[in-house]
Amino acid sequence: MIRFTKVRLFDLIERLKDKNIAVIGDIMADVYIWGKTNRISPEAPVPVVDVFAEEFKLGGAANVALNLKELGCKTTMFGVIGCDKSGDDLLKEFLKNGIDCSGIVRSDSRKTTTKTRIVAAGQHVVRYDRENRTPIDTDLENEIISKFRSQLHNIDALIIEDYNKGLLTENLIKSIVKICKEQNIIVTVDPKFSNINAYSGVTLFKPNLKEAEGILNRTLSGDNDLEIAGNELINLLNLDHLVITLSERGMALFEKNSKMLIIPAKSASIANVSGAGDTVIATLTIFLAAGANFQESCSLANYAASVVVEDVSVVPIQIDSLVARVNEAGVLD
């Protein structure tokens, strides 16, 4: 169990204010329609939901940016959205939350990824999506790369957040990673299954268990399999740090030439794991940028995730909630 002194923890938190973390990835709109249901439709065997509220939230890579902002740092968002109402609403949310959206490109050839969830009595009744998952074209790649280069002087670390919606092509990833290596910028990655080799040499790679199995094309059935797989990924991608998240079990930590370390999950109750990965990569990255070591950053990310999974909707971590959870855990001296 990793412990913190109050001086150490609050010194790290104070340093967050001076950091600017960039996020590049698939931007989404998360729409929540809240209602209640107490009858079945006469037209089909489905519940009738009486709607009483609707929420519009930053989703996907945008939720990562929101988590960073709530942790107290400056945040710049890079990505592509459509010239549609969801795109308009996203830009309003970025501005409202103080997130720099100058790295966002609007395209009339793509629709903004929008996930709409209908929730009744605390349960998801249905979700429907509007999206375009085809890879972006060369012109859009070049525009994103150009915008990123123009912001290099402001960036302390970069999070690459892949939701497999078409933004992160092999060329875009390689170009952005190369630029960051040249400038000694921390790069952390929350991957899917595509273009994995393009991430070679990044600072930290964070798949979940299913993604790790997909990358290696095999099932990981126990701790021995997991440790072998982690070391394989470290060598395959020439990584300094690897984190494999294990859902309700916690996370497995890997470093070159070190044994696997599993940090157990901290949440007492889980209402919704959606968005927990966003919170983990955001917390990990910002604390690494602030000077925390790998295990400290992972431990804080684990506590942050334990807070957000207790909410039925996707919510960002608040810095006060993170401090409270660390204190509750009895690891603050």
Side-chain angles (χ1 to χ4, degrees), residues 49-275:
V49 178
D50 293 318
V51 175
F52 57 74
E54 186 170 332
E55 284 184 283
F56 185 97
K57 294 187 176 187
L58 298 172
N63 185 50
V64 176
L66 184 58
N67 273 271
L68 289 165
K69 189 65 181 177
E70 294 294 340
L71 285 167
C73 71
K74 303 178 189 73
T75 309
T76 306
M77 186 76 237
F78 295 86
V80 176
I81 60 176
C83 298
D84 48 25
K85 184 179 183 304
S86 287
D88 293 341
D89 291 341
L90 278 169
L91 292 179
K92 290 175 186 176
E93 284 295 309
F94 282 125
L95 291 172
K96 184 177 80 174
N97 287 283
I99 297 168
D100 183 349
C101 53
S102 59
I104 295 175
V105 178
R106 300 199 75 171
S107 170
D108 56 12
S109 65
R110 301 182 72 84
K111 63 180 71 173
T112 302
T113 298
T114 305
K115 296 182 178 181
T116 302
R117 299 167 175 88
I118 298 177
V119 183
Q123 300 290 324
H124 285 186
V125 177
V126 69
R127 189 186 98 185
Y128 60 92
D129 297 354
R130 295 186 178 98
E131 61 186 15
N132 181 346
R133 291 189 288 178
T134 58
I136 62 171
D137 60 30
T138 303
D139 288 342
L140 284 174
E141 285 179 348
N142 290 336
E143 195 167 353
I144 292 289
I145 292 166
S146 176
K147 283 181 175 289
F148 186 74
R149 282 189 184 279
S150 72
Q151 294 280 353
L152 279 177
H153 62 286
N154 288 327
I155 296 172
D156 295 294
L158 169 69
I159 297 173
I160 301 177
E161 181 71 30
D162 193 0
Y163 273 88
N164 199 30
K165 305 301 181 185
L167 176 77
L168 291 168
T169 63
E170 182 178 8
N171 179 59
L172 183 62
I173 296 166
K174 285 183 175 179
S175 298
I176 295 294
V177 169
K178 183 174 184 290
I179 292 167
C180 289
K181 285 181 180 178
E182 291 169 351
Q183 300 296 320
N184 294 316
I185 293 171
I186 293 169
V187 181
T188 64
V189 179
D190 199 349
K192 274 293 186 252
F193 307 107
S194 303
N195 303 314
I196 297 304
N197 290 329
Y199 295 116
S200 178
V202 299
T203 311
L204 183 144
F205 193 70
K206 189 205 73 65
N208 60 31
L209 181 60
K210 181 180 178 182
E211 289 158 352
E213 290 177 332
I215 292 166
L216 297 172
N217 196 30
R218 66 176 187 266
T219 300
L220 306 177
S221 57
D223 283 358
N224 187 55
D225 279 359
L226 186 61
E227 183 156 21
I228 292 170
N231 289 320
E232 192 173 329
L233 285 171
I234 287 265
N235 293 326
L236 176 68
L237 297 178
N238 188 29
L239 302 170
D240 291 326
H241 307 295
L242 169 71
V243 176
I244 300 177
T245 54
L246 307 172
S247 191
E248 69 279 353
R249 192 179 172 202
M251 55 179 68
L253 281 52
F254 301 85
E255 297 181 86
K256 278 184 179 177
N257 305 315
S258 298
K259 289 185 175 294
M260 175 179 72
L261 173 65
I262 293 182
I263 300 180
K266 305 298 182 184
S267 182
S269 62
I270 297 176
N272 182 15
V273 297
S274 297

